[in-house]
Amino acid sequence: IDLSSFDIDDLKCEPELEFAGFNAWGKELSLNPLSKGSTKYEITLPDSLTDTFGSPLEGPRTFRFSTTSASPRLWSTLSQLTSIHADASRVVTVNTLNVPEVRVQLYSVQLDDWRTFQDWRYGHDRNPAPGVLMHEWEVETNGERNEETTVPIDLESHIPKGLTGHWVVSIDVKPTLWQ
């Protein structure tokens, strides 16, 4: 495949599909689509595509494929260690995909909990959490199947009025029977 004859925008995709990239070697073309779970796709390569000798395709080529349900995911744009000013909104957001609810744990910590925090942060499933667990609750994501969902998590209503200090917030996927 001659990459100079290929423009990813010339692909016809039903339903519309974005691509994270592509690669070609020899007679193979590898596409990296940003596909949606549980969806049937049809991609047509244009007949303007040529091989390294300049020979074109014998007409457009159409390929069909289906995706399975997307794997559950939980992520955030916050770094693992984030400061929130005392006067700022105490709402944090996470993003989910195929996660019905998340578990939130709020710990009150002191400066001498720093080492425990570091150990917990890098071995979350093996090490005890730092500080004192102040509150634990679940938040429904209200996400549609195979759709990314932004979930606001209100911390304000779970921090006792007038209580100040340092907090660790743990947000994870609520364990289910299959986990």
Side-chain angles (χ1 to χ4, degrees):
I1 294 176
D2 179 11
L3 281 180
S4 68
S5 72
F6 180 70
D7 184 344
I8 203 152
D9 293 331
D10 291 339
L11 294 178
K12 292 180 184 165
C13 304
E14 288 296 326
E16 191 171 315
L17 192 57
E18 290 183 47
F19 293 90
F22 63 91
N23 204 343
W25 57 95
K27 62 180 182 175
E28 296 183 22
L29 175 65
S30 174
L31 303 172
N32 300 319
L34 300 173
S35 56
K36 185 176 170 183
S38 301
T39 304
K40 293 180 181 181
Y41 289 97
E42 183 175 286
I43 297 177
T44 303
L45 297 176
D47 57 4
S48 61
L49 187 63
T50 62
D51 64 18
T52 54
F53 301 106
S55 302
L57 287 177
E58 295 175 0
R61 299 292 171 115
T62 299
F63 301 89
R64 292 171 189 83
F65 67 95
S66 297
T67 58
T68 59
S69 185
S71 298
R73 286 186 50 214
L74 169 68
W75 71 99
S76 176
T77 57
L78 295 173
S79 69
Q80 285 189 337
L81 187 58
T82 301
S83 285
I84 300 175
H85 191 276
D87 295 333
S89 168
R90 292 188 179 165
V91 175
V92 295
T93 58
V94 294
N95 300 301
T96 64
L97 178 66
N98 289 343
V99 173
E101 58 183 2
V102 294
R103 179 178 59 185
V104 182
Q105 295 172 312
L106 181 64
Y107 297 89
S108 175
V109 293
Q110 304 301 318
L111 291 177
D112 59 353
D113 289 320
W114 178 248
R115 183 79 225 145
T116 306
F117 170 74
Q118 292 289 5
D119 292 343
W120 172 77
R121 183 172 140 185
Y122 294 109
H124 192 185
D125 57 338
R126 298 181 308 277
N127 299 319
V132 177
L133 178 63
M134 298 296 288
H135 203 73
E136 180 174 5
W137 69 100
E138 284 82 35
V139 175
E140 289 187 22
T141 64
N142 299 314
E144 296 291 326
R145 184 174 171 86
N146 294 311
E147 294 288 336
E148 293 181 8
T149 304
T150 299
V151 182
I153 297 176
D154 177 22
L155 304 177
E156 185 71 36
S157 60
H158 299 282
I159 298 174
K161 295 287 182 211
L163 191 59
T164 60
H166 301 279
W167 305 91
V168 168
V169 179
S170 172
I171 304 168
D172 58 14
V173 175
K174 184 178 178 190
T176 60
L177 291 176
W178 58 268
Q179 287 178 311

Coordinates of all heavy atoms in Angstrom, one line a residue, residues 69-148:
S69 N -19.8 -5.2 23.6 CA -20.0 -4.2 24.6 C -18.6 -3.7 25.1 O -17.7 -4.5 25.3 CB -20.8 -4.7 25.7 OG -21.1 -3.7 26.6
A70 N -18.5 -2.4 25.3 CA -17.3 -1.8 25.8 C -17.0 -2.3 27.2 O -17.9 -2.5 28.0 CB -17.4 -0.3 25.8
S71 N -15.7 -2.4 27.5 CA -15.3 -2.8 28.9 C -15.6 -1.7 29.9 O -15.5 -0.5 29.5 CB -13.9 -3.1 29.0 OG -13.6 -4.2 28.1
P72 N -16.0 -2.0 31.1 CA -16.3 -0.9 32.1 C -15.0 -0.1 32.3 O -13.9 -0.7 32.4 CB -16.7 -1.6 33.3 CG -17.2 -3.0 32.8 CD -16.4 -3.3 31.6
R73 N -15.2 1.2 32.4 CA -14.0 2.1 32.7 C -14.4 3.2 33.6 O -15.5 3.7 33.6 CB -13.5 2.8 31.4 CG -12.8 1.8 30.5 CD -12.2 2.5 29.3 NE -11.4 3.7 29.7 CZ -11.3 4.8 28.9 NH1 -12.0 4.9 27.8 NH2 -10.6 5.8 29.3
L74 N -13.4 3.7 34.4 CA -13.6 4.8 35.3 C -12.3 5.6 35.2 O -11.2 5.1 35.3 CB -13.8 4.3 36.8 CG -13.7 5.4 37.9 CD1 -14.9 6.3 37.8 CD2 -13.7 4.7 39.2
W75 N -12.5 6.9 34.9 CA -11.3 7.8 34.8 C -11.6 9.2 35.2 O -12.8 9.6 35.3 CB -10.7 7.7 33.4 CG -11.4 8.4 32.3 CD1 -11.2 9.6 31.8 CD2 -12.5 7.8 31.6 NE1 -12.1 9.9 30.8 CE2 -12.9 8.8 30.7 CE3 -13.2 6.6 31.7 CZ2 -14.0 8.6 29.8 CZ3 -14.3 6.4 30.8 CH2 -14.7 7.4 29.9
S76 N -10.6 10.0 35.4 CA -10.8 11.4 35.8 C -9.7 12.3 35.2 O -8.6 11.8 34.9 CB -10.8 11.6 37.3 OG -10.9 12.9 37.6
T77 N -10.0 13.5 35.0 CA -8.9 14.5 34.5 C -8.1 15.0 35.7 O -7.1 15.7 35.5 CB -9.5 15.6 33.8 OG1 -10.5 16.3 34.6 CG2 -10.2 15.1 32.5
L78 N -8.6 14.7 36.9 CA -7.8 15.1 38.1 C -6.6 14.3 38.3 O -6.6 13.1 37.9 CB -8.7 15.0 39.4 CG -9.9 15.8 39.5 CD1 -10.7 15.4 40.7 CD2 -9.6 17.3 39.6
S79 N -5.5 14.9 38.8 CA -4.3 14.1 39.1 C -4.6 13.3 40.3 O -5.6 13.5 41.0 CB -3.1 15.0 39.3 OG -3.2 15.7 40.4
Q80 N -3.7 12.3 40.6 CA -3.9 11.5 41.8 C -3.9 12.3 43.1 O -4.5 12.0 44.1 CB -2.9 10.4 41.9 CG -3.2 9.3 40.9 CD -2.3 8.1 41.2 OE1 -1.2 8.2 41.7 NE2 -2.7 7.0 40.7
L81 N -3.2 13.5 43.0 CA -3.1 14.3 44.2 C -3.5 15.7 43.8 O -2.9 16.4 43.0 CB -1.6 14.3 44.7 CG -1.4 15.1 46.0 CD1 -2.2 14.5 47.1 CD2 0.1 15.0 46.4
T82 N -4.7 16.1 44.3 CA -5.3 17.4 43.8 C -5.6 18.2 45.1 O -6.2 17.7 46.0 CB -6.5 17.2 43.0 OG1 -6.2 16.4 41.9 CG2 -7.2 18.5 42.6
S83 N -5.3 19.5 45.1 CA -5.7 20.4 46.2 C -6.9 21.1 45.8 O -7.1 21.6 44.6 CB -4.6 21.4 46.5 OG -3.5 20.8 47.1
I84 N -7.8 21.2 46.7 CA -9.1 22.0 46.5 C -9.1 23.1 47.6 O -9.0 22.8 48.8 CB -10.3 21.2 46.6 CG1 -10.3 20.0 45.6 CG2 -11.6 22.0 46.5 CD1 -11.4 19.0 45.7
H85 N -9.1 24.3 47.1 CA -9.1 25.5 48.0 C -10.3 25.4 48.9 O -11.4 25.0 48.5 CB -9.0 26.8 47.2 CG -8.8 28.0 48.1 ND1 -9.8 28.6 48.8 CD2 -7.6 28.6 48.4 CE1 -9.3 29.6 49.5 NE2 -8.0 29.6 49.3
A86 N -10.2 25.9 50.1 CA -11.3 25.8 51.1 C -12.5 26.5 50.6 O -13.7 26.2 50.9 CB -10.9 26.4 52.4
D87 N -12.4 27.6 49.8 CA -13.5 28.3 49.3 C -14.1 27.8 48.0 O -15.1 28.3 47.5 CB -13.2 29.8 49.1 CG -12.8 30.5 50.4 OD1 -13.3 30.1 51.4 OD2 -12.0 31.5 50.4
A88 N -13.4 26.8 47.4 CA -13.8 26.3 46.1 C -15.0 25.3 46.2 O -15.3 24.8 47.3 CB -12.6 25.6 45.4
S89 N -15.6 25.0 45.1 CA -16.7 24.0 45.1 C -16.1 22.7 45.5 O -15.0 22.3 45.1 CB -17.2 24.0 43.7 OG -18.1 22.9 43.6
R90 N -16.8 22.0 46.3 CA -16.4 20.7 46.7 C -17.1 19.6 45.9 O -17.7 18.7 46.5 CB -16.6 20.5 48.2 CG -15.6 21.4 49.0 CD -15.7 21.2 50.4 NE -14.7 22.1 51.1 CZ -14.7 22.3 52.3 NH1 -15.5 21.7 53.1 NH2 -13.8 23.1 52.8
V91 N -17.1 19.8 44.6 CA -17.7 18.8 43.7 C -16.5 18.3 42.8 O -15.9 19.2 42.2 CB -18.8 19.3 42.9 CG1 -19.3 18.3 41.9 CG2 -20.0 19.8 43.8
V92 N -16.3 17.0 42.7 CA -15.3 16.5 41.8 C -16.1 15.7 40.7 O -17.2 15.2 41.0 CB -14.2 15.7 42.5 CG1 -13.4 16.5 43.4 CG2 -14.9 14.5 43.2
T93 N -15.5 15.6 39.6 CA -16.1 14.8 38.5 C -15.3 13.6 38.1 O -14.0 13.8 38.1 CB -16.5 15.7 37.3 OG1 -15.3 16.2 36.8 CG2 -17.5 16.7 37.6
V94 N -15.9 12.6 37.7 CA -15.2 11.4 37.1 C -16.0 11.1 35.9 O -17.1 11.5 35.7 CB -15.2 10.2 38.1 CG1 -14.3 10.5 39.3 CG2 -16.6 9.7 38.5
N95 N -15.4 10.3 35.0 CA -16.0 9.8 33.8 C -16.1 8.3 33.9 O -15.2 7.6 34.4 CB -15.2 10.2 32.6 CG -15.1 11.7 32.5 OD1 -16.0 12.4 32.4 ND2 -13.8 12.2 32.6
T96 N -17.2 7.8 33.4 CA -17.5 6.4 33.4 C -18.0 5.9 32.1 O -18.5 6.6 31.2 CB -18.5 6.0 34.5 OG1 -19.8 6.6 34.1 CG2 -18.1 6.5 35.8
L97 N -17.8 4.6 31.9 CA -18.3 3.9 30.7 C -18.7 2.5 31.2 O -17.9 1.8 31.7 CB -17.2 3.8 29.6 CG -17.6 3.0 28.3 CD1 -18.6 3.8 27.6 CD2 -16.3 2.8 27.5
N98 N -20.0 2.2 31.0 CA -20.6 1.0 31.4 C -20.3 0.6 32.9 O -20.1 -0.5 33.3 CB -20.1 -0.2 30.5 CG -20.7 -0.1 29.2 OD1 -21.7 0.6 28.9 ND2 -20.1 -0.8 28.2
V99 N -20.4 1.7 33.7 CA -20.3 1.5 35.2 C -21.6 2.1 35.8 O -21.8 3.3 35.7 CB -19.1 2.3 35.7 CG1 -19.0 2.2 37.3 CG2 -17.8 1.7 35.2
P100 N -22.4 1.2 36.4 CA -23.7 1.7 36.9 C -23.6 2.6 38.1 O -24.4 3.6 38.3 CB -24.5 0.5 37.2 CG -23.5 -0.6 37.3 CD -22.3 -0.2 36.5
E101 N -22.6 2.3 39.0 CA -22.4 3.2 40.1 C -21.0 3.1 40.6 O -20.3 2.1 40.3 CB -23.4 2.9 41.3 CG -23.4 1.5 41.8 CD -24.5 1.4 42.9 OE1 -25.2 2.3 43.2 OE2 -24.5 0.3 43.5
V102 N -20.5 4.2 41.3 CA -19.2 4.2 41.8 C -19.3 4.3 43.4 O -20.3 4.8 43.9 CB -18.4 5.4 41.3 CG1 -18.1 5.3 39.8 CG2 -19.0 6.8 41.6
R103 N -18.2 3.8 44.0 CA -18.1 3.9 45.5 C -17.2 5.0 45.8 O -16.1 5.1 45.2 CB -17.6 2.6 46.0 CG -17.4 2.6 47.5 CD -16.9 1.2 48.0 NE -15.7 0.9 47.4 CZ -15.0 -0.2 47.6 NH1 -15.5 -1.2 48.3 NH2 -13.9 -0.4 47.0
V104 N -17.6 5.8 46.7 CA -16.8 7.0 47.2 C -16.5 6.8 48.7 O -17.4 6.5 49.4 CB -17.6 8.3 47.0 CG1 -16.7 9.5 47.4 CG2 -18.1 8.5 45.6
Q105 N -15.2 7.0 49.0 CA -14.8 6.9 50.4 C -14.0 8.2 50.7 O -13.2 8.6 49.9 CB -13.9 5.7 50.6 CG -14.6 4.4 50.4 CD -13.6 3.2 50.4 OE1 -12.6 3.2 49.8 NE2 -14.0 2.2 51.2
L106 N -14.4 8.8 51.8 CA -13.8 10.1 52.2 C -13.1 9.8 53.6 O -13.7 9.4 54.5 CB -14.9 11.1 52.4 CG -14.5 12.5 52.8 CD1 -13.7 13.2 51.8 CD2 -15.7 13.3 53.1
Y107 N -11.8 10.1 53.5 CA -10.9 9.9 54.7 C -10.4 11.2 55.2 O -10.0 12.1 54.4 CB -9.7 9.0 54.3 CG -10.0 7.6 53.9 CD1 -10.3 7.3 52.5 CD2 -10.1 6.6 54.8 CE1 -10.6 6.0 52.1 CE2 -10.4 5.3 54.4 CZ -10.6 5.0 53.1 OH -10.9 3.8 52.7
S108 N -10.4 11.4 56.5 CA -9.8 12.5 57.1 C -8.3 12.1 57.4 O -8.1 11.1 58.0 CB -10.5 12.9 58.4 OG -9.8 13.9 59.1
V109 N -7.4 12.9 57.0 CA -6.0 12.6 57.2 C -5.2 13.7 57.8 O -5.6 14.9 57.7 CB -5.3 12.2 55.8 CG1 -5.9 10.9 55.3 CG2 -5.4 13.3 54.8
Q110 N -4.1 13.3 58.4 CA -3.2 14.3 59.0 C -1.8 14.3 58.2 O -1.6 13.4 57.4 CB -2.9 13.9 60.5 CG -4.2 13.8 61.3 CD -5.0 15.1 61.3 OE1 -4.4 16.2 61.5 NE2 -6.3 15.0 61.2
L111 N -1.0 15.2 58.5 CA 0.3 15.3 57.8 C 1.1 14.0 58.0 O 1.8 13.5 57.1 CB 1.1 16.5 58.2 CG 0.5 17.8 57.7 CD1 1.3 19.0 58.2 CD2 0.4 17.9 56.2
D112 N 1.0 13.4 59.2 CA 1.8 12.2 59.4 C 1.2 10.9 58.8 O 1.8 9.9 58.8 CB 2.0 11.9 60.9 CG 0.7 11.8 61.7 OD1 -0.4 12.0 61.1 OD2 0.8 11.5 62.9
D113 N 0.1 11.1 58.0 CA -0.4 10.0 57.2 C 0.2 10.0 55.8 O -0.2 9.1 55.0 CB -2.0 10.2 57.1 CG -2.7 9.9 58.3 OD1 -2.3 8.9 59.1 OD2 -3.7 10.6 58.6
W114 N 1.1 10.9 55.5 CA 1.7 11.0 54.2 C 2.3 9.6 53.7 O 2.0 9.2 52.6 CB 2.7 12.1 54.1 CG 3.3 12.2 52.8 CD1 4.6 12.0 52.4 CD2 2.7 12.7 51.6 NE1 4.9 12.2 51.1 CE2 3.7 12.6 50.5 CE3 1.4 13.1 51.2 CZ2 3.4 13.0 49.2 CZ3 1.2 13.4 49.9 CH2 2.1 13.4 48.9
R115 N 3.1 9.0 54.5 CA 3.8 7.7 54.1 C 2.7 6.7 53.8 O 2.8 5.9 52.8 CB 4.7 7.3 55.2 CG 5.5 6.0 54.8 CD 6.7 6.4 53.9 NE 6.7 5.4 52.8 CZ 7.0 5.6 51.6 NH1 7.3 6.8 51.2 NH2 6.9 4.7 50.7
T116 N 1.7 6.6 54.7 CA 0.6 5.6 54.5 C -0.1 5.9 53.2 O -0.5 5.0 52.5 CB -0.3 5.6 55.7 OG1 0.4 5.4 56.9 CG2 -1.4 4.6 55.6
F117 N -0.3 7.2 53.0 CA -1.0 7.6 51.7 C -0.2 7.1 50.5 O -0.8 6.6 49.6 CB -1.2 9.1 51.7 CG -1.7 9.6 50.3 CD1 -3.0 9.4 49.9 CD2 -0.8 10.3 49.5 CE1 -3.4 9.9 48.7 CE2 -1.2 10.7 48.2 CZ -2.5 10.5 47.9
Q118 N 1.1 7.4 50.5 CA 2.0 6.9 49.4 C 1.9 5.4 49.2 O 1.8 4.9 48.1 CB 3.4 7.4 49.6 CG 3.6 8.9 49.6 CD 3.5 9.4 48.2 OE1 3.1 8.7 47.2 NE2 3.7 10.7 48.0
D119 N 2.0 4.7 50.3 CA 1.9 3.2 50.2 C 0.6 2.8 49.6 O 0.5 1.9 48.8 CB 2.1 2.6 51.6 CG 3.6 2.7 52.1 OD1 4.4 3.1 51.2 OD2 3.8 2.6 53.3
W120 N -0.5 3.4 50.1 CA -1.9 3.1 49.7 C -2.1 3.4 48.2 O -2.6 2.7 47.4 CB -2.9 3.8 50.6 CG -4.3 3.7 50.1 CD1 -5.1 2.6 50.3 CD2 -5.0 4.7 49.5 NE1 -6.4 2.9 49.8 CE2 -6.3 4.2 49.3 CE3 -4.8 6.0 49.0 CZ2 -7.3 4.9 48.6 CZ3 -5.8 6.7 48.4 CH2 -7.0 6.2 48.2
R121 N -1.6 4.6 47.8 CA -1.7 5.1 46.5 C -1.1 4.2 45.4 O -1.7 4.0 44.4 CB -1.1 6.5 46.4 CG -1.2 7.2 45.1 CD -0.7 8.6 45.2 NE 0.1 9.0 44.1 CZ 0.7 10.1 44.0 NH1 0.7 10.9 45.0 NH2 1.3 10.4 42.9
Y122 N 0.0 3.6 45.7 CA 0.7 2.7 44.8 C 0.4 1.2 45.0 O 0.7 0.4 44.1 CB 2.2 2.9 44.8 CG 2.5 4.3 44.3 CD1 2.9 5.3 45.2 CD2 2.3 4.7 43.0 CE1 3.2 6.6 44.7 CE2 2.5 6.0 42.5 CZ 3.0 6.9 43.4 OH 3.2 8.2 42.9
G123 N -0.3 0.9 46.0 CA -0.7 -0.5 46.2 C -2.1 -0.6 46.8 O -2.4 -1.3 47.8
H124 N -3.0 0.2 46.2 CA -4.4 0.4 46.7 C -5.1 -0.9 47.1 O -5.8 -0.9 48.1 CB -5.2 1.1 45.6 CG -6.5 1.6 46.0 ND1 -7.4 2.2 45.2 CD2 -7.1 1.7 47.3 CE1 -8.4 2.6 45.9 NE2 -8.3 2.3 47.1
D125 N -4.9 -1.9 46.4 CA -5.6 -3.2 46.7 C -4.9 -4.0 47.8 O -5.5 -4.9 48.3 CB -5.7 -4.0 45.4 CG -4.4 -4.4 44.8 OD1 -3.4 -3.6 45.0 OD2 -4.4 -5.4 44.0
R126 N -3.7 -3.6 48.2 CA -2.9 -4.4 49.2 C -2.7 -3.6 50.5 O -2.5 -4.3 51.5 CB -1.6 -4.8 48.6 CG -1.6 -5.6 47.4 CD -0.3 -6.0 46.9 NE 0.6 -4.9 46.6 CZ 0.7 -4.2 45.5 NH1 -0.2 -4.4 44.6 NH2 1.5 -3.2 45.4
N127 N -2.7 -2.3 50.5 CA -2.4 -1.6 51.6 C -3.6 -0.9 52.2 O -4.5 -0.5 51.5 CB -1.3 -0.5 51.3 CG 0.0 -1.2 50.8 OD1 0.4 -2.2 51.3 ND2 0.5 -0.6 49.7
P128 N -3.5 -0.6 53.6 CA -4.7 0.1 54.2 C -4.7 1.5 53.8 O -3.7 2.1 53.5 CB -4.4 -0.1 55.7 CG -2.9 -0.3 55.8 CD -2.5 -1.0 54.5
A129 N -5.9 2.1 53.7 CA -6.1 3.5 53.4 C -5.5 4.3 54.5 O -5.5 3.9 55.7 CB -7.5 3.8 53.1
P130 N -5.1 5.6 54.2 CA -4.6 6.5 55.3 C -5.7 7.1 56.0 O -6.9 7.2 55.5 CB -3.8 7.5 54.5 CG -4.6 7.6 53.2 CD -5.0 6.2 52.9
G131 N -5.4 7.5 57.3 CA -6.4 8.3 58.0 C -7.6 7.6 58.5 O -7.5 6.3 58.7
V132 N -8.7 8.3 58.8 CA -9.9 7.8 59.3 C -11.0 7.9 58.3 O -11.2 8.9 57.8 CB -10.3 8.6 60.6 CG1 -11.6 8.1 61.2 CG2 -9.2 8.5 61.6
L133 N -11.7 6.7 58.0 CA -12.8 6.7 57.1 C -13.9 7.5 57.8 O -14.5 7.2 58.8 CB -13.2 5.3 56.8 CG -14.4 5.2 55.9 CD1 -14.1 5.8 54.5 CD2 -14.9 3.7 55.7
M134 N -14.3 8.7 57.1 CA -15.3 9.5 57.7 C -16.7 9.2 57.1 O -17.7 9.3 57.7 CB -15.0 11.0 57.4 CG -13.7 11.5 58.0 SD -13.8 11.5 59.8 CE -14.9 12.8 60.1
H135 N -16.7 8.8 55.8 CA -17.9 8.5 55.1 C -17.7 7.7 53.9 O -16.7 7.8 53.2 CB -18.6 9.9 54.7 CG -20.1 9.8 54.6 ND1 -21.0 9.6 55.6 CD2 -20.8 9.7 53.5 CE1 -22.2 9.5 55.1 NE2 -22.2 9.6 53.8
E136 N -18.7 6.8 53.6 CA -18.6 6.0 52.4 C -20.0 5.9 51.8 O -21.0 5.8 52.5 CB -18.2 4.6 52.8 CG -18.1 3.6 51.6 CD -17.5 2.3 52.0 OE1 -17.2 2.0 53.2 OE2 -17.2 1.5 51.1
W137 N -20.1 6.1 50.5 CA -21.4 6.1 49.8 C -21.3 5.7 48.4 O -20.2 5.7 47.8 CB -22.1 7.5 50.0 CG -21.5 8.6 49.2 CD1 -22.0 9.1 48.1 CD2 -20.4 9.4 49.6 NE1 -21.2 10.2 47.7 CE2 -20.2 10.4 48.6 CE3 -19.5 9.4 50.7 CZ2 -19.2 11.4 48.6 CZ3 -18.5 10.4 50.7 CH2 -18.4 11.3 49.7
E138 N -22.4 5.4 47.8 CA -22.4 5.1 46.3 C -23.1 6.2 45.6 O -24.0 6.9 46.1 CB -23.2 3.8 46.1 CG -22.4 2.5 46.5 CD -22.5 2.2 47.9 OE1 -23.6 2.5 48.5 OE2 -21.5 1.7 48.5
V139 N -22.7 6.4 44.3 CA -23.2 7.4 43.5 C -23.6 6.7 42.2 O -22.8 6.0 41.5 CB -22.2 8.5 43.1 CG1 -22.8 9.5 42.1 CG2 -21.8 9.2 44.4
E140 N -24.9 6.8 41.8 CA -25.4 6.2 40.5 C -24.9 7.1 39.4 O -24.9 8.3 39.5 CB -26.9 6.1 40.5 CG -27.4 5.0 41.4 CD -28.9 4.9 41.2 OE1 -29.5 5.2 40.2 OE2 -29.5 4.3 42.2
T141 N -24.4 6.5 38.4 CA -23.8 7.2 37.3 C -24.9 7.7 36.3 O -24.7 8.6 35.5 CB -22.7 6.4 36.5 OG1 -23.4 5.3 35.9 CG2 -21.6 6.0 37.4
N142 N -26.0 7.0 36.2 CA -27.1 7.2 35.3 C -26.6 7.2 33.8 O -27.1 7.9 33.0 CB -27.8 8.6 35.6 CG -28.4 8.5 37.0 OD1 -29.1 7.6 37.3 ND2 -28.2 9.6 37.7
G143 N -25.6 6.4 33.6 CA -25.0 6.3 32.2 C -25.7 5.3 31.4 O -26.2 4.3 31.8
E144 N -25.8 5.7 30.1 CA -26.4 4.8 29.1 C -25.4 3.7 28.7 O -24.2 4.0 28.8 CB -26.8 5.6 27.8 CG -27.9 6.6 28.1 CD -29.3 5.9 28.4 OE1 -29.6 4.9 27.8 OE2 -30.0 6.5 29.2
R145 N -25.8 2.6 28.3 CA -24.9 1.5 27.9 C -24.0 2.0 26.8 O -24.5 2.6 25.8 CB -25.7 0.3 27.5 CG -24.9 -0.9 27.2 CD -25.9 -2.1 26.9 NE -25.2 -3.2 26.4 CZ -24.6 -4.2 27.1 NH1 -24.6 -4.1 28.4 NH2 -24.0 -5.2 26.5
N146 N -22.7 1.7 26.9 CA -21.7 2.1 25.9 C -21.6 3.6 25.6 O -21.1 4.0 24.6 CB -22.0 1.3 24.6 CG -21.8 -0.2 24.8 OD1 -20.8 -0.6 25.3 ND2 -22.7 -0.9 24.3
E147 N -22.0 4.4 26.5 CA -21.9 5.9 26.4 C -21.0 6.4 27.5 O -21.2 6.0 28.7 CB -23.2 6.6 26.5 CG -24.1 6.2 25.3 CD -23.7 6.9 24.0 OE1 -23.0 7.9 24.0 OE2 -24.1 6.4 22.9
E148 N -20.0 7.3 27.2 CA -19.3 7.9 28.3 C -20.2 8.9 29.0 O -21.0 9.6 28.4 CB -18.1 8.7 27.6 CG -17.1 7.8 27.0 CD -15.9 8.6 26.4 OE1 -15.8 9.8 26.6 OE2 -15.1 8.0 25.8

